[in-house]
């Protein structure tokens, strides 16, 4: 049958329009691009379990080979997808893979990636309530859910940030604003020797000289020592300084240690200090029964950092800060301008730009909202419980290995250990632990990293990927056994 002449004319017009406005693909073109990308995405995800846990050979050559001039002309999508998936993404740490037990694993649940596609296409302006009241409400719901998870009252408010570092930064700025005069350089803040370095960085960015960040030692379980904290605060007051903030950890990066949050809260209350809990790594374990016990007292903190891109398995790029007295967040961040629309007076509605350093920003809220609504929170609770079980499984097996000393048993989902065979001195233990780490990583099924605590080189296993299950932990333990045998034979 012949096509009517009118529809051919329309088709020609559409083609001409597309050539004129290449930034606006047609519906069919959008579908074709997503389909082509989806083919690669699915293949990538399906290959993750068998891909090496890290691959760094040729990294420099690859980076140099990928240098390119400003592209005047466009290229075809398949060619670009090849470049992204086959070359650019194929080298480095396999962070989304099940064998990534290094540092603090991020996640990458697909549901959040889908949310990001939708959010970026919808592209409404969520920094200001009036510009997107419905979408802002979805993000507000997410922050209220987070507040419920940690047991915060109705007055609490929060923001989604790019990550834990920026959440810690806004927490310090808020504490400084609430507890110190505008001339704040006599203010001192207290961290433990296990606190994440982003807190110190945040303090420096917030204008405090290095020496105002006081480091407090930790105990045998890597928890902040309160007797040392009390002594430090007393000395600083006597010296005319103004202690204003203590930062406790809800899961340290080194060993996963959780400070005694209830005891730090008592101390902070008695001393009139702001208590910030950096729970970027461990905070979402509060969804589980065991996590709630470990994090007891977190609800008494003035502010809390939680990282959905760690504990909720989201792709990198979403952290959060919660503040118990939400008005404090606004007092520290709200700045108006004549060209902005009027901000919301009613406490039930928020203008996120008044609570955070950002004005324009991505709609991060959908990346949490969609996975929570699609899967329900029980799916996340179960996955977190599994991580707690897996870390214990690893610790028990390590305890049973001759020549291994478990230095930090899991308080959440990190276990830290070293080689400590008979007759080895400190230096020999450190050297052997380094060799063990290399031997395990060389096998390529898992990627572990190390840290140094009190001069001791410790190998860590951090279980936080939603893709890590018992089979991978068992493979890791097999590789540790084999690596240990190799290491000890070299020591002889
Ligand atoms: C305890 C803790 N706090 C803060 C951060 C910083 O978070 P981000 O990397 O999201 O900025 C990390 C990162 O691993 C962390 O483990």
């Amino acid at each position: 049958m012949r096509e009517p002449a009118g529809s051919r004319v329309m088709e020609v017009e559409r083609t001409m329009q597309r050539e004129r406005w290449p930034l606006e693909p047609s519906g069919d073109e959008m579908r074709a691009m997503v389909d082509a990308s989806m083919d690669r995405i699915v293949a990538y995800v399906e290959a993750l379990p068998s891909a090496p846990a890290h691959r760094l050979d040729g990294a420099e050559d690859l980076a140099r080979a990928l240098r390119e001039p400003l592209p005047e002309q466009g290229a075809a999508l398949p060619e670009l997808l090849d470049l992204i998936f086959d070359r650019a993404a194929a080298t480095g740490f396999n962070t989304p893979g099940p064998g990534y037990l290094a540092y603090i694993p991020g996640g990458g649940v697909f549901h959040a990636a889908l949310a990001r596609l939708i959010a970026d296409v919808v592209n409404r302006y969520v920094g200001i309530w009036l510009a997107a009241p419905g979408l802002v409400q979805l993000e507000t719901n997410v922050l209220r859910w987070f507040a419920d998870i940690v047991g915060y009252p109705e007055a609490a408010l929060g923001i989604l940030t790019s990550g834990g570092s920026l959440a810690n930064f806004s927490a310090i700025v808020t504490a400084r604003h609430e507890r110190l005069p505008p001339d704040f350089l006599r203010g001192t803040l207290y961290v433990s020797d296990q606190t994440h370095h982003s807190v110190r960085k945040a303090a420096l960015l917030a204008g405090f000289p290095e020496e105002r960040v006081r480091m407090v030692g930790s105990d045998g379980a890597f928890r902040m020592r309160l007797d040392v904290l009390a002594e430090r605060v007393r000395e600083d007051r006597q010296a005319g300084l103004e202690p204003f903030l203590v930062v406790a950890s809800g899961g340290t990066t080194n060993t996963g240690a959780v400070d005694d949050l209830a005891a730090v809260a008592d101390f902070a209350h008695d001393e009139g200090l702001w208590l910030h809990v950096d729970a970027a790594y461990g905070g979402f374990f509060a969804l589980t029964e065991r996590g709630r016990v470990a994090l007891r007292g977190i609800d008494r903190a003035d502010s809390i950092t939680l990282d959905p891109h760690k504990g909720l398995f989201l792709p990198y790029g979403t952290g959060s800060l919660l503040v118990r007295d939400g008005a404090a967040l606004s007092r520290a961040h709200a700045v108006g301008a004549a060209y902005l629309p009027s901000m919301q007076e009613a406490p039930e509605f928020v203008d996120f730009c008044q609570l955070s350093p950002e004005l324009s920003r991505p709609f991060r809220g959908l990346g949490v909202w969609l996975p929570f609504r699609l899967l329900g929170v029980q799916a996340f609770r179960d996955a977190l419980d599994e991580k707690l079980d897996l870390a214990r499984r690893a610790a028990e097996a390590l305890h049973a290995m001759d020549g291994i000393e478990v230095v930090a048993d899991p308080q959440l989902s990190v276990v830290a250990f070293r080689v400590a065979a008979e007759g080895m001195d400190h230096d020999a233990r450190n050297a052997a632990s380094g060799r063990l780490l290399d031997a395990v990583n060389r096998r390529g099924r898992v990627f572990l990293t190390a840290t140094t605590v009190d001069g001791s080189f410790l190998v860590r296993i951090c279980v936080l990927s939603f893709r890590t299950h018992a089979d991978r932990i068992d493979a890791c333990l097999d590789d540790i056994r084999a690596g240990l045998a190799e290491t000890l034979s070299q020591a002889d």
Side-chain angles (χ1 to χ4, degrees):
M1 205 170 66
R2 281 191 58 186
E3 229 184 313
S7 80
R8 274 204 312 280
V9 170
M10 276 166 60
E11 182 51 38
V12 170
E13 270 175 10
R14 274 202 295 268
T15 308
M16 280 169 58
Q17 270 208 1
R18 277 205 300 281
E19 277 166 14
R20 194 158 158 229
W21 309 115
L23 299 186
E24 187 68 280
S26 69
D28 286 348
E29 283 170 324
M30 283 191 267
R31 271 193 202 92
M33 282 194 279
V34 171
D35 286 350
S37 304
M38 274 316 299
D39 287 347
R40 300 305 303 255
I41 288 169
V42 170
Y44 177 81
V45 170
E46 287 178 352
L48 282 173
S50 54
H54 85 307
R55 178 158 68 198
L56 293 174
D57 353 310
E60 292 178 0
D61 289 344
L62 170 73
R64 289 192 193 105
L66 288 176
R67 286 182 188 152
E68 48 193 5
L70 180 67
E72 282 301 334
Q73 302 299 324
L77 183 60
E79 186 186 312
L80 301 179
L81 291 172
D82 287 350
L83 185 151
I84 296 167
F85 284 97
D86 298 342
R87 299 179 65 206
T91 294
F93 304 167
N94 185 359
T95 42
Y100 191 72
L101 306 170
Y103 306 106
I104 305 287
V109 288
F110 179 77
H111 316 74
L114 180 64
R116 287 183 178 186
L117 175 62
I118 297 170
D120 284 358
V121 174
V122 168
N123 200 30
R124 295 296 172 113
Y125 200 85
V126 290
I128 291 177
W129 185 88
L130 195 63
L135 298 181
V136 169
Q137 186 58 49
L138 300 189
E139 187 158 313
T140 308
N141 296 349
V142 162
L143 287 154
R144 185 60 241 165
W145 297 338
F146 288 180
D148 289 344
I149 290 169
V150 297
Y152 259 6
E154 278 306 312
L157 285 176
I159 49 172
L160 295 180
T161 63
S162 58
S165 301
L166 266 288
N168 284 336
F169 173 69
S170 265
I172 288 180
V173 169
T174 306
R176 185 192 75 193
H177 190 274
E178 289 297 297
R179 297 294 157 97
L180 290 175
D183 170 8
F184 57 75
L185 288 180
R186 302 175 78 75
T188 49
L189 62 132
Y190 301 82
V191 301
S192 91
D193 57 5
Q194 301 298 306
T195 304
H196 192 265
H197 74 279
S198 62
V199 173
R200 211 174 87 237
K201 189 189 218 178
L204 300 180
L205 291 174
F208 292 96
E210 180 95 46
E211 65 273 16
R212 293 292 184 260
V213 184
R214 312 299 239 194
M215 186 134 16
V216 174
S218 49
D219 63 16
F222 305 103
R223 296 179 172 134
M224 182 186 272
R225 276 187 56 182
L226 290 183
D227 54 335
V228 179
L229 172 66
E231 184 61 21
R232 275 289 171 99
V233 168
R234 197 180 54 77
E235 281 167 8
D236 286 345
R237 285 202 204 284
Q238 274 173 2
L241 296 170
E242 294 179 61
F244 79 103
L245 163 68
V246 54
V247 180
S249 297
T252 64
T253 316
N254 267 345
T255 64
V258 182
D259 287 330
D260 184 343
L261 302 181
V264 187
D266 285 341
F267 177 79
H269 178 265
D270 293 348
E271 292 287 331
L273 305 179
W274 181 280
L275 169 60
H276 175 62
V277 175
D278 178 3
Y281 151 61
F284 283 111
F285 283 105
L287 279 167
T288 69
E289 208 48 56
R290 286 173 286 180
R292 256 195 300 284
V293 172
L295 294 160
R296 196 177 62 85
I298 195 170
D299 55 316
R300 293 172 56 201
D302 294 290
S303 54
I304 304 171
T305 290
L306 297 173
D307 258 3
H309 67 195
K310 297 185 175 69
L312 289 183
F313 318 112
L314 259 55
Y316 293 117
T318 306
S320 71
L321 172 67
L322 302 176
V323 176
R324 186 168 221 288
D325 168 16
L329 202 50
S330 152
R331 286 192 289 271
H333 292 86
V335 176
Y339 41 78
L340 290 177
S342 57
M343 300 290 151
Q344 299 311 300
E345 299 292 336
E348 63 179 317
F349 301 131
V350 292
D351 289 284
F352 283 115
C353 69
Q354 300 292 77
L355 306 182
S356 108
E358 292 181 303
L359 178 57
S360 307
R361 61 182 184 80
F363 180 24
R364 301 186 182 101
L366 204 67
V368 183
W369 183 89
L370 191 65
F372 264 28
R373 291 298 316 273
L374 275 172
L375 300 168
V377 83
Q378 187 64 35
F380 291 87
R381 184 177 292 122
D382 290 346
L384 287 163
D385 256 323
E386 184 199 21
K387 303 310 138 201
L388 296 175
D389 290 340
L390 293 176
R392 276 155 188 71
R393 182 188 188 101
E396 274 168 29
L398 288 165
H399 274 292
M401 286 183 207
D402 270 344
I404 291 287
E405 180 195 357
V406 175
V407 177
D409 266 310
Q411 295 179 30
L412 293 169
S413 70
V414 178
V415 51
F417 59 98
R418 63 180 171 178
V419 179
E422 283 257 337
M424 277 184 173
D425 64 10
H426 174 83
D427 289 347
R429 282 196 299 257
N430 279 359
S433 301
R435 284 201 305 277
L436 171 65
L437 179 68
D438 291 343
V440 171
N441 287 342
R442 221 180 303 120
R443 285 168 167 78
R445 295 199 288 181
V446 296
F447 181 46
L448 307 183
T449 50
T451 188
T452 304
V453 177
D454 294 335
S456 291
F457 184 95
L458 304 183
V459 183
R460 313 158 58 257
I461 297 176
C462 179
V463 196
L464 200 63
S465 166
F466 68 104
R467 294 193 169 107
T468 304
H469 304 297
D471 58 336
R472 191 60 63 144
I473 294 299
D474 291 344
C476 172
L477 292 165
D478 285 346
D479 289 352
I480 292 173
R481 282 186 203 97
L484 181 64
E486 200 181 305
T487 302
L488 293 180
S489 72
Q490 286 166 11
D492 294 340

